[in-house]
Amino acid sequence: MHHIKNDLLLRTIRGEKTSRKPVWLMRQAGRILPQYRALREQVKDFKTLVETPELATEVTLQPVDELQVDAAIIFSDILVICEAMGLPYEMVEKRGPFFPKTIETQQDIDQLRIADGEHDIAYTIEAIRLTKSALNFRIPLIGFAGCPWTIFAYMIEGGGSKTFSKAKKMLYTEPNLSHQLLQKITTSTINYLQAQVKAGADVLQLFDSWAGILSPQSYQEFSLPYIRQICEAFQQTPITVFAKGAFFALSDIAQIPCHTIGIDWNITPQYARQMVGKHKTLQGNLDPCVLYADTNTVQKATVQMIQDFGNTHHIVNLGHGVYPDTPLDNVRCFVETVQNYILTH
Ligand code: CP3
């Protein structure tokens, strides 16, 4: 295996002592950079960016060059798996995802196929190859997928929602159908992530963006077993589970064979550590809205977070994706504050 020059992220995942903490931002590719907006303006369509490997590579590298973050995350979307399984999505300007057809019946589920990542999502796999080559072992590349529950929620609901009550209704009224669909998504996701690793992804992250709308019981039954299945398939590649809003499940997630657990801003670093135990690395968790404040406040909050998490087993990040209208100077201040904070062991 080749040596990655800046391997702070990988060493922190392994629990090693480092001279400073690694930092990257969820949703750093796209959204915040003027370079992204300019490209997006030219291309017009989000999906064209995702589905053109050269362009996806360019967008992936933009924050790496502009912000000097310690990891790249491949530019794609969690929803690509839906299309690969036979359920197309559209990205509606200023509104978000929309599915012309949704999943309702046994027949709908039977008609979905198990995705083969290498072929059915060839554009992102090729983008990973191109990005790896362009990075030339500068920093690690993160591959990702949605967790089965979150993908299920979009497939049933047909788009974003405050409550996802249609998707939750399916869990309560058709548990058997729900498990069939969740299993199909899980198998597809494992195939897709295996193709990502083969193409060069160094670390994987699972996004369970809608974890927080489930009750602890529903989460136990409909999300955790599938996350566990995915993690068990990747014992050679570090994998991060980020279940937004799932403070109630942290001690259960800690029992899953993942290496890193992402946490949002609703819990303190101390509480997260208590729930998770000593061994796993934590990632997070600054409130993205802190980055709307003045630089002094950004600096202070970032330093406080660094100290609260302790000297090892911590990857600095926000508690959720960076918001599109975040002042770039504050993103810079956040990253630089972490990079200037030297740890004494
Ligand atoms: O992290 C990165 O920088 C890599 C790229 C990435 C995107 N989406 C690009 C994107 C990642 C990791 C995602 C994950 C994703 N997509 C999640 C999980 C993370 C989270 O925020 O909870 C979810 C729920 C989605 C689904 C999705 N994609 C929604 C709801 C939307 C519309 C709202 C939004 O985020 O802007 C998208 C579109 C999307 N995905 C954009 C980007 C850059 C914006 C598209 C544009 O340029 O208009």
Side-chain angles (χ1 to χ4, degrees):
M1 209 179 126
H2 248 279
H3 197 66
I4 292 177
K5 287 170 202 110
N6 172 354
D7 61 354
L8 278 173
L9 183 88
L10 302 174
R11 286 164 53 216
T12 300
I13 292 172
R14 293 196 295 260
E16 292 175 21
K17 289 178 183 167
T18 54
S19 57
R20 66 167 177 84
K21 296 191 180 193
V23 56
W24 67 281
L25 292 88
M26 289 189 277
R27 314 294 295 271
Q28 68 190 14
R31 288 185 150 189
I32 47 169
L33 295 178
Q35 300 92 306
Y36 173 75
R37 296 211 191 97
L39 189 62
R40 181 77 168 64
E41 208 40 52
Q42 274 176 30
V43 177
K44 288 285 177 258
D45 182 26
F46 169 74
K47 284 182 82 178
T48 305
L49 280 183
V50 168
E51 291 165 16
T52 312
E54 292 75 16
L55 296 177
T57 299
E58 187 178 334
V59 175
T60 302
L61 295 174
Q62 284 170 349
V64 174
D65 296 330
E66 186 68 44
L67 301 165
Q68 310 296 322
V69 283
D70 299 307
I73 180 162
I74 193 68
F75 184 74
S76 186
D77 200 274
I78 62 167
L79 301 176
V80 297
I81 197 77
C82 307
E83 202 154 286
M85 293 176 70
L87 201 70
Y89 71 98
E90 295 163 13
M91 201 56 83
V92 184
E93 206 61 37
K94 297 206 160 51
R95 284 200 55 229
F98 169 71
F99 289 76
K101 195 187 161 313
T102 57
I103 300 298
E104 285 172 4
T105 63
Q106 177 78 58
Q107 203 194 358
D108 293 339
I109 296 172
D110 291 343
Q111 278 172 359
L112 290 176
R113 49 175 191 271
I114 304 281
D116 165 344
E118 187 75 45
H119 297 102
D120 296 330
I121 317 178
Y123 47 85
T124 297
I125 299 305
E126 180 59 13
I128 290 176
R129 283 194 203 98
L130 293 178
T131 302
K132 271 302 275 188
S133 157
L135 280 174
N136 195 23
F137 301 99
R138 252 195 297 169
I139 49 174
L141 176 61
I142 302 171
F144 70 89
C147 286
W149 153 247
T150 289
I151 298 302
F152 173 101
Y154 282 106
M155 283 183 162
I156 305 291
E157 202 81 29
S161 160
K162 273 213 170 74
T163 57
F164 279 92
S165 54
K166 201 177 159 207
K168 286 176 74 176
K169 178 179 172 191
M170 181 85 153
L171 300 182
Y172 285 110
T173 58
E174 300 280 2
N176 178 33
L177 283 190
S178 298
H179 279 298
Q180 283 181 46
L181 177 53
L182 287 161
Q183 186 57 55
K184 255 184 152 161
I185 298 168
T186 301
T187 308
S188 300
T189 301
I190 291 172
N191 290 344
Y192 179 38
L193 290 171
Q194 272 168 348
Q196 293 190 37
V197 170
K198 224 174 116 201
D202 302 291
V203 174
L204 298 173
Q205 176 155 332
L206 300 175
F207 288 91
D208 213 356
S209 303
W210 300 109
I213 63 170
L214 290 184
S215 69
Q217 292 85 344
S218 296
Y219 201 69
Q220 282 276 355
E221 180 175 354
F222 295 105
S223 190
L224 284 170
Y226 300 100
I227 296 176
R228 171 178 284 280
Q229 256 189 67
I230 296 170
C231 291
E232 282 175 349
F234 292 93
Q235 290 310 297
Q236 305 303 317
T237 308
I239 184 157
T240 300
V241 176
F242 174 59
K244 172 94 176 48
F247 58 89
F248 56 83
L250 267 185
S251 58
D252 297 312
I253 296 171
Q255 302 306 312
I256 285 175
C258 63
H259 304 74
T260 301
I261 298 177
I263 58 172
D264 60 38
W265 64 88
N266 287 112
I267 66 170
T268 62
Q270 294 86 340
Y271 179 74
R273 182 51 74 196
Q274 201 183 322
M275 299 296 287
V276 164
K278 281 193 292 209
H279 298 295
K280 292 195 183 195
T281 293
L282 294 172
Q283 176 174 276
N285 75 338
L286 195 74
D287 183 345
C289 289
V290 168
L291 300 187
Y292 292 124
D294 58 278
T295 36
N296 197 24
T297 305
V298 173
Q299 245 170 18
K300 272 172 92 170
T302 305
V303 166
Q304 184 67 52
M305 171 183 56
I306 291 174
Q307 294 175 345
D308 287 347
F309 274 100
N311 267 358
T312 64
H313 295 90
H314 179 222
I315 300 162
V316 178
N317 207 310
L318 303 178
H320 199 192
V322 60
Y323 296 133
D325 61 344
T326 305
L328 199 51
D329 282 340
N330 277 349
V331 177
R332 247 187 265 285
C333 170
F334 169 67
V335 172
E336 282 167 10
T337 302
V338 181
Q339 298 186 333
N340 292 332
Y341 193 100
I342 303 303
L343 300 167
T344 46
H345 293 283

